[in-house]
Amino acid sequence: MQSQQPPSIFPCITVNQPLGTFYVMSAAARDILEYLTVSRRGLSPAEREKVQRALDPVRQKEIAAYVTRDDATFPTSITVNADSERVFVVETTQGLVVVIGNELDEETASLAPKESILEIESGGIIRKFVRLSLNEPAAEIIDGQHRFEGL
């Protein structure tokens, strides 16, 4: 089920490296936690292919305690592998942005509640997006799972 709220949008910058192009954005943890998932390694053949080690509950608790301290220093980074069908990098007249949501075609957009649609002009066309459903993760954490869980 889609939310009546429009999707999330964040300014970003491009970083070109020999390995490829990366997009860097800044967001409050509360604004992105719902979009992230962690695939932890396990014992089955499929689980051995996953990126993250088992969660260390002690490390998670240390980070959770740290963020409540008066001397806690931020920001902290989390590296993710974004799903290209749910995370879009869009050039706008105000600059580059990351949109986390589902892109709609004209027919589907006509069926969605108007207040749930985010319209962005890009390259002379209007692109339309809606918020993801609660069980539609948009990105998988590939570095920073303990920070994610601690936050």
Side-chain angles (χ1 to χ4, degrees):
M1 175 178 204
Q2 304 277 307
S3 168
Q4 296 298 310
Q5 297 178 337
S8 298
I9 182 170
F10 306 94
C12 73
I13 60 170
T14 303
V15 177
N16 292 307
Q17 295 185 349
L19 184 61
T21 301
F22 298 85
Y23 300 97
V24 179
M25 63 176 237
S26 177
R30 70 181 161 277
D31 294 336
I32 62 167
L33 291 179
E34 69 184 272
Y35 300 116
L36 303 176
T37 187
V38 178
S39 293
R40 292 190 180 88
R41 281 186 237 154
L43 299 176
S44 74
E47 289 174 331
R48 284 189 203 119
E49 299 296 319
K50 296 182 178 179
V51 177
Q52 293 292 309
R53 296 179 302 240
L55 183 67
D56 179 348
V58 172
R59 182 73 181 127
Q60 175 191 2
K61 288 177 184 172
E62 288 172 350
I63 292 170
Y66 173 77
V67 301
T68 63
R69 293 178 17 188
D70 290 338
D71 64 341
T73 304
F74 289 93
T76 187
S77 65
I78 296 174
T79 304
V80 302
N81 179 27
D83 181 338
S84 62
E85 294 182 9
R86 296 185 177 122
V87 179
F88 302 88
V89 177
V90 181
E91 182 67 47
T92 72
T93 55
Q94 290 82 32
L96 206 57
V97 297
V98 170
V99 179
I100 302 174
N102 287 314
E103 188 165 15
L104 304 176
D105 58 29
E106 284 301 319
E107 182 180 338
T108 309
S110 69
L111 302 173
K114 195 169 192 107
E115 64 275 8
S116 70
I117 297 175
L118 171 67
E119 293 185 350
I120 300 177
E121 182 182 347
S122 178
I125 62 169
I126 302 294
R127 295 176 68 178
K128 298 178 181 185
F129 301 90
V130 293
R131 193 172 193 87
L132 295 174
S133 298
L134 287 177
N135 57 353
E136 275 187 283
E140 179 180 13
I141 295 173
I142 57 176
D143 180 56
Q145 71 160 335
H146 288 93
R147 283 165 277 163
F148 168 74
E149 296 290 349
L151 292 171

